[in-house]
Amino acid sequence: MTNLDDILKSRRDTRHFTPDEVPDEVIEKALQAGHWAPSVGLTDATRYYIIKSAEVKSAIKDLFLDYNKKAESLTDNPEQKEHYKSLKLEAIEEAPIGLIIAYDRSVLNQFTIGTVGSNEAVKFSSVCAAQNIWLSLTDQGYGMGWVSILNYYQFKKILDLPDNIEPLGYFCVGKPATNYDNQPMLQQLHWKKKSEAPICTEIKNVTESYISDLKLKSQIEIDNKNDFSKELQEKIDGKTKPVGALGTLETLAFQLATVFETLNPKIINPNIVVFAADHGIANHGVSAYPQDVTRQMVGNFLDGGAAINVFCKQNDIQLSIVDSGVNYDFPTNANLIDAKIAKGTQSFLHAPAMSETELQLCFEKGKTIVENIAKTGSNCIGFGEMGIGNTSTASVLMSLLTGFSIEECVGKGTGVEDQKLLQKQEFLKRAIENYSGQANLKEQLAYFGGFEIIQMASGMLTAFENKMLILVDGFICSVAFLIASKINPSIIKNAFFCHCSAEQAHQKLLQYLKAKPILNLDLRLGEGTGCAIAFPILKSAEAFLNEMASFESAGVSRQ
């Protein structure tokens, strides 16, 4: 066995340390080894932070203990729970030195070879650096332990790490107090056994990658429901009120009953789904907010502090959050639906926002999300979104799919100033002019689309197939509906446009769709808030149709 083999085999995730100090030259040599690690496209994105302060270590230990309680609750097996609690999973306060190995996401704002196919490659480079450091420390007679059971958001917050810095975890460094019988500690303690040899499979054949075409469906008028429609209208007109006196509520009740195909419609398990993703176009300053706000707002949704949380709670609506493509790694046990295609789209100024494969994945994931919600018995789904830069994406798609000029389709979004609005219009106009692809829906969606917008369009189509009410929020969601309606025009029958936003482009789009919004409150927040606020009105339509007395039952004369 060579010396390198010895080092590789003895590299352990160390949890027990002696109190011996670690000489500066040992750390310096180890960090240099990390710096020599392969770095995709020479991004040089790995960053290091040294921690010796007892106060800082104590704060990190508290974070670990808090999150470790959540880890314990993941098993219902009492024996396994006790075994887990007995394991030593960190040495944050015992180890002489704490090391944070992180990567700098801001390098992705530059054109870097190797990151076009996967932004994850930057993180992978930092993992290579961590392994080099581990091997160097092992060679010098020292050890390192990786602590990953942390709330990374809080971890960054208490250490005041910049938003663009993403830690791989906290690493404990020191002199090992044991060799763990020359085997992984978890194996020694009978938690899990490591396989004897690497698992390797040879791939001999190529599987054809088939991207299905978007099959556009023609509008099909259904005449065989005339009897039901007549009976439904008679029921509405027969309520103890003048004909048409409840105005739009009567129209909503008629549509609601028609979707459910019953004279006694009942909304069951309503669910608002907020799709979140980042957009490469945001790096060109088209928004009043930095791109990282997408990640911050998803965190706010998960913490229950956003407007949509408040309104869903008020109206007893289930809220689901989807990571369609946020430029951030959320904890795997975060209460969100993981439908991440990539960490944001590419900028469509000079290149496609997504590949055809990514476009197909968006349709597949959007379909799966809504199918799973339908399986819970839900027959009413609202669509919301979050994504810095997505008004620019939606504006371009609206212009291409309706024929309106880009000036008619661009609004202030999150609140850009008038001068910046003009710059935004010119910028998006240039992006459209740079497009040399074909004028077919599939290519246009791949070139200019956003992950969350396409997933919503797919979800709406799936909701229609499952005979669900489709609640459409503001401008971006209406563009998603526009896409869905180009694929299947019949979807309009199930759609309830919840409000007309303050975006002038939204008003024009609603006119194009011949849609009458339920509310007009000058909203421009997104998140599905319009759906949640309009929902009680739908419940009122349901209630009057089901519970209001008829002239006959109340003994009231019609004349």
Side-chain angles (χ1 to χ4, degrees), residues 435-469:
Y435 176 62
S436 57
Q438 297 181 21
N440 68 61
L441 184 62
K442 185 174 169 183
E443 286 202 24
Q444 290 171 333
L445 294 181
Y447 199 95
F448 293 105
F451 297 140
E452 83 280 32
I453 295 175
I454 308 303
Q455 286 186 12
M456 283 194 293
S458 174
M460 290 172 182
L461 290 166
T462 307
F464 175 72
E465 291 169 3
N466 284 274
K467 297 181 179 179
M468 303 172 79
L469 305 185

PDB file of all heavy atoms in Angstrom, residues 435-469:
ATOM      1  N   TYR A 435     -33.427  37.796 -30.729  1.00  0.00           N
ATOM      2  CA  TYR A 435     -33.940  36.431 -30.882  1.00  0.00           C
ATOM      3  C   TYR A 435     -34.017  36.075 -32.360  1.00  0.00           C
ATOM      4  O   TYR A 435     -34.662  36.763 -33.152  1.00  0.00           O
ATOM      5  CB  TYR A 435     -35.320  36.331 -30.242  1.00  0.00           C
ATOM      6  CG  TYR A 435     -36.004  34.990 -30.425  1.00  0.00           C
ATOM      7  CD1 TYR A 435     -35.439  33.831 -29.909  1.00  0.00           C
ATOM      8  CD2 TYR A 435     -37.222  34.883 -31.106  1.00  0.00           C
ATOM      9  CE1 TYR A 435     -36.066  32.602 -30.053  1.00  0.00           C
ATOM     10  CE2 TYR A 435     -37.856  33.669 -31.256  1.00  0.00           C
ATOM     11  CZ  TYR A 435     -37.273  32.524 -30.726  1.00  0.00           C
ATOM     12  OH  TYR A 435     -37.892  31.306 -30.880  1.00  0.00           O
ATOM     13  N   SER A 436     -33.379  34.980 -32.717  1.00  0.00           N
ATOM     14  CA  SER A 436     -33.368  34.555 -34.121  1.00  0.00           C
ATOM     15  C   SER A 436     -34.049  33.203 -34.304  1.00  0.00           C
ATOM     16  O   SER A 436     -33.954  32.601 -35.369  1.00  0.00           O
ATOM     17  CB  SER A 436     -31.925  34.475 -34.644  1.00  0.00           C
ATOM     18  OG  SER A 436     -31.152  33.591 -33.843  1.00  0.00           O
ATOM     19  N   GLY A 437     -34.700  32.727 -33.255  1.00  0.00           N
ATOM     20  CA  GLY A 437     -35.368  31.435 -33.334  1.00  0.00           C
ATOM     21  C   GLY A 437     -36.692  31.509 -34.069  1.00  0.00           C
ATOM     22  O   GLY A 437     -37.123  32.571 -34.527  1.00  0.00           O
ATOM     23  N   GLN A 438     -37.358  30.355 -34.165  1.00  0.00           N
ATOM     24  CA  GLN A 438     -38.628  30.285 -34.871  1.00  0.00           C
ATOM     25  C   GLN A 438     -39.764  30.838 -34.017  1.00  0.00           C
ATOM     26  O   GLN A 438     -39.676  30.878 -32.798  1.00  0.00           O
ATOM     27  CB  GLN A 438     -38.930  28.831 -35.252  1.00  0.00           C
ATOM     28  CG  GLN A 438     -37.921  28.235 -36.221  1.00  0.00           C
ATOM     29  CD  GLN A 438     -38.273  26.810 -36.601  1.00  0.00           C
ATOM     30  OE1 GLN A 438     -39.429  26.391 -36.463  1.00  0.00           O
ATOM     31  NE2 GLN A 438     -37.293  26.053 -37.066  1.00  0.00           N
ATOM     32  N   ALA A 439     -40.818  31.246 -34.697  1.00  0.00           N
ATOM     33  CA  ALA A 439     -41.975  31.824 -33.987  1.00  0.00           C
ATOM     34  C   ALA A 439     -42.948  30.727 -33.584  1.00  0.00           C
ATOM     35  O   ALA A 439     -44.147  30.824 -33.828  1.00  0.00           O
ATOM     36  CB  ALA A 439     -42.659  32.853 -34.880  1.00  0.00           C
ATOM     37  N   ASN A 440     -42.426  29.643 -32.968  1.00  0.00           N
ATOM     38  CA  ASN A 440     -43.344  28.629 -32.453  1.00  0.00           C
ATOM     39  C   ASN A 440     -43.266  28.628 -30.926  1.00  0.00           C
ATOM     40  O   ASN A 440     -42.264  29.038 -30.328  1.00  0.00           O
ATOM     41  CB  ASN A 440     -43.056  27.240 -33.040  1.00  0.00           C
ATOM     42  CG  ASN A 440     -41.727  26.666 -32.578  1.00  0.00           C
ATOM     43  OD1 ASN A 440     -41.506  26.461 -31.392  1.00  0.00           O
ATOM     44  ND2 ASN A 440     -40.831  26.389 -33.522  1.00  0.00           N
ATOM     45  N   LEU A 441     -44.339  28.175 -30.305  1.00  0.00           N
ATOM     46  CA  LEU A 441     -44.494  28.299 -28.861  1.00  0.00           C
ATOM     47  C   LEU A 441     -43.360  27.631 -28.098  1.00  0.00           C
ATOM     48  O   LEU A 441     -42.802  28.211 -27.159  1.00  0.00           O
ATOM     49  CB  LEU A 441     -45.843  27.695 -28.443  1.00  0.00           C
ATOM     50  CG  LEU A 441     -46.203  27.818 -26.965  1.00  0.00           C
ATOM     51  CD1 LEU A 441     -46.315  29.274 -26.554  1.00  0.00           C
ATOM     52  CD2 LEU A 441     -47.507  27.079 -26.672  1.00  0.00           C
ATOM     53  N   LYS A 442     -42.984  26.439 -28.511  1.00  0.00           N
ATOM     54  CA  LYS A 442     -41.980  25.671 -27.780  1.00  0.00           C
ATOM     55  C   LYS A 442     -40.640  26.407 -27.733  1.00  0.00           C
ATOM     56  O   LYS A 442     -40.025  26.543 -26.668  1.00  0.00           O
ATOM     57  CB  LYS A 442     -41.818  24.307 -28.448  1.00  0.00           C
ATOM     58  CG  LYS A 442     -40.891  23.354 -27.729  1.00  0.00           C
ATOM     59  CD  LYS A 442     -40.967  22.005 -28.439  1.00  0.00           C
ATOM     60  CE  LYS A 442     -39.891  21.074 -27.972  1.00  0.00           C
ATOM     61  NZ  LYS A 442     -39.919  19.797 -28.699  1.00  0.00           N
ATOM     62  N   GLU A 443     -40.186  26.903 -28.858  1.00  0.00           N
ATOM     63  CA  GLU A 443     -38.895  27.601 -28.904  1.00  0.00           C
ATOM     64  C   GLU A 443     -38.945  28.920 -28.151  1.00  0.00           C
ATOM     65  O   GLU A 443     -37.985  29.312 -27.482  1.00  0.00           O
ATOM     66  CB  GLU A 443     -38.464  27.830 -30.354  1.00  0.00           C
ATOM     67  CG  GLU A 443     -37.968  26.581 -31.046  1.00  0.00           C
ATOM     68  CD  GLU A 443     -37.071  26.887 -32.244  1.00  0.00           C
ATOM     69  OE1 GLU A 443     -36.473  27.980 -32.281  1.00  0.00           O
ATOM     70  OE2 GLU A 443     -36.989  26.027 -33.137  1.00  0.00           O
ATOM     71  N   GLN A 444     -40.062  29.622 -28.252  1.00  0.00           N
ATOM     72  CA  GLN A 444     -40.191  30.902 -27.557  1.00  0.00           C
ATOM     73  C   GLN A 444     -40.189  30.715 -26.043  1.00  0.00           C
ATOM     74  O   GLN A 444     -39.562  31.490 -25.315  1.00  0.00           O
ATOM     75  CB  GLN A 444     -41.467  31.615 -28.012  1.00  0.00           C
ATOM     76  CG  GLN A 444     -41.409  32.124 -29.449  1.00  0.00           C
ATOM     77  CD  GLN A 444     -42.756  32.638 -29.937  1.00  0.00           C
ATOM     78  OE1 GLN A 444     -43.809  32.210 -29.466  1.00  0.00           O
ATOM     79  NE2 GLN A 444     -42.736  33.551 -30.898  1.00  0.00           N
ATOM     80  N   LEU A 445     -40.879  29.681 -25.584  1.00  0.00           N
ATOM     81  CA  LEU A 445     -40.925  29.423 -24.137  1.00  0.00           C
ATOM     82  C   LEU A 445     -39.548  29.050 -23.603  1.00  0.00           C
ATOM     83  O   LEU A 445     -39.158  29.481 -22.514  1.00  0.00           O
ATOM     84  CB  LEU A 445     -41.930  28.308 -23.821  1.00  0.00           C
ATOM     85  CG  LEU A 445     -43.402  28.610 -24.086  1.00  0.00           C
ATOM     86  CD1 LEU A 445     -44.267  27.414 -23.689  1.00  0.00           C
ATOM     87  CD2 LEU A 445     -43.860  29.856 -23.347  1.00  0.00           C
ATOM     88  N   ALA A 446     -38.811  28.222 -24.358  1.00  0.00           N
ATOM     89  CA  ALA A 446     -37.473  27.827 -23.910  1.00  0.00           C
ATOM     90  C   ALA A 446     -36.524  29.019 -23.901  1.00  0.00           C
ATOM     91  O   ALA A 446     -35.699  29.163 -22.996  1.00  0.00           O
ATOM     92  CB  ALA A 446     -36.925  26.719 -24.811  1.00  0.00           C
ATOM     93  N   TYR A 447     -36.645  29.889 -24.871  1.00  0.00           N
ATOM     94  CA  TYR A 447     -35.698  31.009 -24.999  1.00  0.00           C
ATOM     95  C   TYR A 447     -35.964  32.097 -23.957  1.00  0.00           C
ATOM     96  O   TYR A 447     -35.030  32.644 -23.384  1.00  0.00           O
ATOM     97  CB  TYR A 447     -35.772  31.619 -26.407  1.00  0.00           C
ATOM     98  CG  TYR A 447     -34.545  32.439 -26.750  1.00  0.00           C
ATOM     99  CD1 TYR A 447     -33.482  31.877 -27.461  1.00  0.00           C
ATOM    100  CD2 TYR A 447     -34.430  33.773 -26.349  1.00  0.00           C
ATOM    101  CE1 TYR A 447     -32.348  32.612 -27.761  1.00  0.00           C
ATOM    102  CE2 TYR A 447     -33.293  34.517 -26.642  1.00  0.00           C
ATOM    103  CZ  TYR A 447     -32.258  33.931 -27.355  1.00  0.00           C
ATOM    104  OH  TYR A 447     -31.131  34.665 -27.627  1.00  0.00           O
ATOM    105  N   PHE A 448     -37.231  32.385 -23.690  1.00  0.00           N
ATOM    106  CA  PHE A 448     -37.554  33.520 -22.814  1.00  0.00           C
ATOM    107  C   PHE A 448     -38.212  33.131 -21.488  1.00  0.00           C
ATOM    108  O   PHE A 448     -38.403  33.979 -20.630  1.00  0.00           O
ATOM    109  CB  PHE A 448     -38.493  34.492 -23.554  1.00  0.00           C
ATOM    110  CG  PHE A 448     -37.855  35.175 -24.729  1.00  0.00           C
ATOM    111  CD1 PHE A 448     -38.159  34.781 -26.030  1.00  0.00           C
ATOM    112  CD2 PHE A 448     -36.951  36.207 -24.552  1.00  0.00           C
ATOM    113  CE1 PHE A 448     -37.578  35.412 -27.124  1.00  0.00           C
ATOM    114  CE2 PHE A 448     -36.368  36.852 -25.629  1.00  0.00           C
ATOM    115  CZ  PHE A 448     -36.676  36.448 -26.928  1.00  0.00           C
ATOM    116  N   GLY A 449     -38.579  31.878 -21.331  1.00  0.00           N
ATOM    117  CA  GLY A 449     -39.412  31.491 -20.193  1.00  0.00           C
ATOM    118  C   GLY A 449     -38.703  31.484 -18.855  1.00  0.00           C
ATOM    119  O   GLY A 449     -37.473  31.519 -18.765  1.00  0.00           O
ATOM    120  N   GLY A 450     -39.506  31.429 -17.797  1.00  0.00           N
ATOM    121  CA  GLY A 450     -39.006  31.263 -16.435  1.00  0.00           C
ATOM    122  C   GLY A 450     -39.504  29.938 -15.903  1.00  0.00           C
ATOM    123  O   GLY A 450     -40.595  29.481 -16.263  1.00  0.00           O
ATOM    124  N   PHE A 451     -38.716  29.312 -15.062  1.00  0.00           N
ATOM    125  CA  PHE A 451     -39.088  27.992 -14.543  1.00  0.00           C
ATOM    126  C   PHE A 451     -40.447  28.012 -13.853  1.00  0.00           C
ATOM    127  O   PHE A 451     -41.270  27.123 -14.046  1.00  0.00           O
ATOM    128  CB  PHE A 451     -38.030  27.497 -13.554  1.00  0.00           C
ATOM    129  CG  PHE A 451     -36.668  27.280 -14.160  1.00  0.00           C
ATOM    130  CD1 PHE A 451     -35.518  27.633 -13.469  1.00  0.00           C
ATOM    131  CD2 PHE A 451     -36.538  26.712 -15.421  1.00  0.00           C
ATOM    132  CE1 PHE A 451     -34.263  27.433 -14.019  1.00  0.00           C
ATOM    133  CE2 PHE A 451     -35.280  26.505 -15.983  1.00  0.00           C
ATOM    134  CZ  PHE A 451     -34.140  26.869 -15.279  1.00  0.00           C
ATOM    135  N   GLU A 452     -40.676  29.043 -13.014  1.00  0.00           N
ATOM    136  CA  GLU A 452     -41.937  29.077 -12.262  1.00  0.00           C
ATOM    137  C   GLU A 452     -43.119  29.374 -13.175  1.00  0.00           C
ATOM    138  O   GLU A 452     -44.231  28.870 -12.953  1.00  0.00           O
ATOM    139  CB  GLU A 452     -41.860  30.086 -11.097  1.00  0.00           C
ATOM    140  CG  GLU A 452     -42.123  31.536 -11.446  1.00  0.00           C
ATOM    141  CD  GLU A 452     -40.942  32.261 -12.061  1.00  0.00           C
ATOM    142  OE1 GLU A 452     -40.139  31.625 -12.783  1.00  0.00           O
ATOM    143  OE2 GLU A 452     -40.818  33.474 -11.862  1.00  0.00           O
ATOM    144  N   ILE A 453     -42.917  30.170 -14.223  1.00  0.00           N
ATOM    145  CA  ILE A 453     -44.004  30.519 -15.140  1.00  0.00           C
ATOM    146  C   ILE A 453     -44.457  29.290 -15.929  1.00  0.00           C
ATOM    147  O   ILE A 453     -45.660  29.025 -16.071  1.00  0.00           O
ATOM    148  CB  ILE A 453     -43.573  31.658 -16.073  1.00  0.00           C
ATOM    149  CG1 ILE A 453     -43.330  32.942 -15.254  1.00  0.00           C
ATOM    150  CG2 ILE A 453     -44.617  31.909 -17.163  1.00  0.00           C
ATOM    151  CD1 ILE A 453     -42.777  34.105 -16.056  1.00  0.00           C
ATOM    152  N   ILE A 454     -43.495  28.521 -16.416  1.00  0.00           N
ATOM    153  CA  ILE A 454     -43.842  27.326 -17.199  1.00  0.00           C
ATOM    154  C   ILE A 454     -44.466  26.264 -16.298  1.00  0.00           C
ATOM    155  O   ILE A 454     -45.426  25.587 -16.684  1.00  0.00           O
ATOM    156  CB  ILE A 454     -42.605  26.758 -17.925  1.00  0.00           C
ATOM    157  CG1 ILE A 454     -41.900  27.859 -18.747  1.00  0.00           C
ATOM    158  CG2 ILE A 454     -43.009  25.595 -18.824  1.00  0.00           C
ATOM    159  CD1 ILE A 454     -42.778  28.530 -19.766  1.00  0.00           C
ATOM    160  N   GLN A 455     -43.939  26.110 -15.085  1.00  0.00           N
ATOM    161  CA  GLN A 455     -44.536  25.127 -14.170  1.00  0.00           C
ATOM    162  C   GLN A 455     -45.970  25.506 -13.819  1.00  0.00           C
ATOM    163  O   GLN A 455     -46.840  24.640 -13.702  1.00  0.00           O
ATOM    164  CB  GLN A 455     -43.682  24.998 -12.911  1.00  0.00           C
ATOM    165  CG  GLN A 455     -42.382  24.239 -13.133  1.00  0.00           C
ATOM    166  CD  GLN A 455     -41.596  23.981 -11.864  1.00  0.00           C
ATOM    167  OE1 GLN A 455     -42.098  24.170 -10.758  1.00  0.00           O
ATOM    168  NE2 GLN A 455     -40.350  23.541 -12.013  1.00  0.00           N
ATOM    169  N   MET A 456     -46.235  26.808 -13.667  1.00  0.00           N
ATOM    170  CA  MET A 456     -47.617  27.237 -13.407  1.00  0.00           C
ATOM    171  C   MET A 456     -48.513  26.927 -14.596  1.00  0.00           C
ATOM    172  O   MET A 456     -49.645  26.449 -14.420  1.00  0.00           O
ATOM    173  CB  MET A 456     -47.654  28.742 -13.093  1.00  0.00           C
ATOM    174  CG  MET A 456     -47.193  29.100 -11.705  1.00  0.00           C
ATOM    175  SD  MET A 456     -47.633  30.801 -11.248  1.00  0.00           S
ATOM    176  CE  MET A 456     -46.619  31.744 -12.384  1.00  0.00           C
ATOM    177  N   ALA A 457     -48.035  27.204 -15.810  1.00  0.00           N
ATOM    178  CA  ALA A 457     -48.836  26.921 -17.009  1.00  0.00           C
ATOM    179  C   ALA A 457     -49.183  25.436 -17.072  1.00  0.00           C
ATOM    180  O   ALA A 457     -50.329  25.055 -17.341  1.00  0.00           O
ATOM    181  CB  ALA A 457     -48.076  27.348 -18.265  1.00  0.00           C
ATOM    182  N   SER A 458     -48.192  24.592 -16.807  1.00  0.00           N
ATOM    183  CA  SER A 458     -48.421  23.150 -16.814  1.00  0.00           C
ATOM    184  C   SER A 458     -49.394  22.755 -15.703  1.00  0.00           C
ATOM    185  O   SER A 458     -50.294  21.927 -15.908  1.00  0.00           O
ATOM    186  CB  SER A 458     -47.089  22.417 -16.614  1.00  0.00           C
ATOM    187  OG  SER A 458     -47.293  21.032 -16.472  1.00  0.00           O
ATOM    188  N   GLY A 459     -49.245  23.362 -14.536  1.00  0.00           N
ATOM    189  CA  GLY A 459     -50.135  23.072 -13.415  1.00  0.00           C
ATOM    190  C   GLY A 459     -51.574  23.454 -13.714  1.00  0.00           C
ATOM    191  O   GLY A 459     -52.517  22.747 -13.336  1.00  0.00           O
ATOM    192  N   MET A 460     -51.755  24.580 -14.404  1.00  0.00           N
ATOM    193  CA  MET A 460     -53.102  25.024 -14.767  1.00  0.00           C
ATOM    194  C   MET A 460     -53.757  24.034 -15.731  1.00  0.00           C
ATOM    195  O   MET A 460     -54.943  23.698 -15.598  1.00  0.00           O
ATOM    196  CB  MET A 460     -53.043  26.416 -15.394  1.00  0.00           C
ATOM    197  CG  MET A 460     -52.685  27.511 -14.402  1.00  0.00           C
ATOM    198  SD  MET A 460     -52.409  29.115 -15.220  1.00  0.00           S
ATOM    199  CE  MET A 460     -51.956  30.145 -13.814  1.00  0.00           C
ATOM    200  N   LEU A 461     -52.977  23.561 -16.706  1.00  0.00           N
ATOM    201  CA  LEU A 461     -53.505  22.575 -17.651  1.00  0.00           C
ATOM    202  C   LEU A 461     -53.911  21.295 -16.918  1.00  0.00           C
ATOM    203  O   LEU A 461     -54.943  20.686 -17.219  1.00  0.00           O
ATOM    204  CB  LEU A 461     -52.443  22.262 -18.716  1.00  0.00           C
ATOM    205  CG  LEU A 461     -52.157  23.380 -19.717  1.00  0.00           C
ATOM    206  CD1 LEU A 461     -50.880  23.095 -20.490  1.00  0.00           C
ATOM    207  CD2 LEU A 461     -53.326  23.567 -20.685  1.00  0.00           C
ATOM    208  N   THR A 462     -53.104  20.909 -15.939  1.00  0.00           N
ATOM    209  CA  THR A 462     -53.401  19.699 -15.168  1.00  0.00           C
ATOM    210  C   THR A 462     -54.620  19.899 -14.281  1.00  0.00           C
ATOM    211  O   THR A 462     -55.441  18.987 -14.110  1.00  0.00           O
ATOM    212  CB  THR A 462     -52.178  19.316 -14.310  1.00  0.00           C
ATOM    213  OG1 THR A 462     -51.020  19.224 -15.153  1.00  0.00           O
ATOM    214  CG2 THR A 462     -52.389  17.989 -13.601  1.00  0.00           C
ATOM    215  N   ALA A 463     -54.755  21.093 -13.706  1.00  0.00           N
ATOM    216  CA  ALA A 463     -55.927  21.399 -12.889  1.00  0.00           C
ATOM    217  C   ALA A 463     -57.200  21.310 -13.728  1.00  0.00           C
ATOM    218  O   ALA A 463     -58.238  20.809 -13.269  1.00  0.00           O
ATOM    219  CB  ALA A 463     -55.789  22.787 -12.281  1.00  0.00           C
ATOM    220  N   PHE A 464     -57.128  21.779 -14.961  1.00  0.00           N
ATOM    221  CA  PHE A 464     -58.281  21.692 -15.870  1.00  0.00           C
ATOM    222  C   PHE A 464     -58.644  20.237 -16.135  1.00  0.00           C
ATOM    223  O   PHE A 464     -59.825  19.852 -16.099  1.00  0.00           O
ATOM    224  CB  PHE A 464     -57.962  22.405 -17.184  1.00  0.00           C
ATOM    225  CG  PHE A 464     -59.043  22.264 -18.229  1.00  0.00           C
ATOM    226  CD1 PHE A 464     -60.248  22.945 -18.100  1.00  0.00           C
ATOM    227  CD2 PHE A 464     -58.862  21.439 -19.326  1.00  0.00           C
ATOM    228  CE1 PHE A 464     -61.249  22.805 -19.049  1.00  0.00           C
ATOM    229  CE2 PHE A 464     -59.854  21.294 -20.284  1.00  0.00           C
ATOM    230  CZ  PHE A 464     -61.053  21.986 -20.147  1.00  0.00           C
ATOM    231  N   GLU A 465     -57.621  19.406 -16.368  1.00  0.00           N
ATOM    232  CA  GLU A 465     -57.858  17.982 -16.627  1.00  0.00           C
ATOM    233  C   GLU A 465     -58.499  17.299 -15.414  1.00  0.00           C
ATOM    234  O   GLU A 465     -59.231  16.321 -15.560  1.00  0.00           O
ATOM    235  CB  GLU A 465     -56.534  17.285 -16.976  1.00  0.00           C
ATOM    236  CG  GLU A 465     -55.961  17.710 -18.323  1.00  0.00           C
ATOM    237  CD  GLU A 465     -54.534  17.215 -18.523  1.00  0.00           C
ATOM    238  OE1 GLU A 465     -54.020  16.489 -17.637  1.00  0.00           O
ATOM    239  OE2 GLU A 465     -53.928  17.554 -19.551  1.00  0.00           O
ATOM    240  N   ASN A 466     -58.225  17.813 -14.217  1.00  0.00           N
ATOM    241  CA  ASN A 466     -58.765  17.237 -12.993  1.00  0.00           C
ATOM    242  C   ASN A 466     -60.040  17.934 -12.516  1.00  0.00           C
ATOM    243  O   ASN A 466     -60.479  17.728 -11.379  1.00  0.00           O
ATOM    244  CB  ASN A 466     -57.705  17.271 -11.886  1.00  0.00           C
ATOM    245  CG  ASN A 466     -56.646  16.204 -12.048  1.00  0.00           C
ATOM    246  OD1 ASN A 466     -56.822  15.077 -11.611  1.00  0.00           O
ATOM    247  ND2 ASN A 466     -55.556  16.546 -12.708  1.00  0.00           N
ATOM    248  N   LYS A 467     -60.613  18.776 -13.384  1.00  0.00           N
ATOM    249  CA  LYS A 467     -61.873  19.479 -13.100  1.00  0.00           C
ATOM    250  C   LYS A 467     -61.803  20.304 -11.812  1.00  0.00           C
ATOM    251  O   LYS A 467     -62.702  20.260 -10.970  1.00  0.00           O
ATOM    252  CB  LYS A 467     -63.038  18.483 -13.046  1.00  0.00           C
ATOM    253  CG  LYS A 467     -63.280  17.764 -14.376  1.00  0.00           C
ATOM    254  CD  LYS A 467     -64.450  16.808 -14.310  1.00  0.00           C
ATOM    255  CE  LYS A 467     -64.667  16.119 -15.661  1.00  0.00           C
ATOM    256  NZ  LYS A 467     -65.783  15.168 -15.626  1.00  0.00           N
ATOM    257  N   MET A 468     -60.708  21.016 -11.668  1.00  0.00           N
ATOM    258  CA  MET A 468     -60.497  21.872 -10.500  1.00  0.00           C
ATOM    259  C   MET A 468     -60.766  23.323 -10.864  1.00  0.00           C
ATOM    260  O   MET A 468     -60.625  23.720 -12.024  1.00  0.00           O
ATOM    261  CB  MET A 468     -59.053  21.743  -9.991  1.00  0.00           C
ATOM    262  CG  MET A 468     -58.631  20.333  -9.631  1.00  0.00           C
ATOM    263  SD  MET A 468     -56.860  20.190  -9.266  1.00  0.00           S
ATOM    264  CE  MET A 468     -56.809  20.828  -7.575  1.00  0.00           C
ATOM    265  N   LEU A 469     -61.146  24.117  -9.854  1.00  0.00           N
ATOM    266  CA  LEU A 469     -61.213  25.558 -10.054  1.00  0.00           C
ATOM    267  C   LEU A 469     -59.782  26.071 -10.169  1.00  0.00           C
ATOM    268  O   LEU A 469     -58.903  25.684  -9.388  1.00  0.00           O
ATOM    269  CB  LEU A 469     -61.894  26.252  -8.879  1.00  0.00           C
ATOM    270  CG  LEU A 469     -63.294  25.799  -8.462  1.00  0.00           C
ATOM    271  CD1 LEU A 469     -63.800  26.714  -7.348  1.00  0.00           C
ATOM    272  CD2 LEU A 469     -64.247  25.790  -9.630  1.00  0.00           C
TER     273      LEU A 469
END
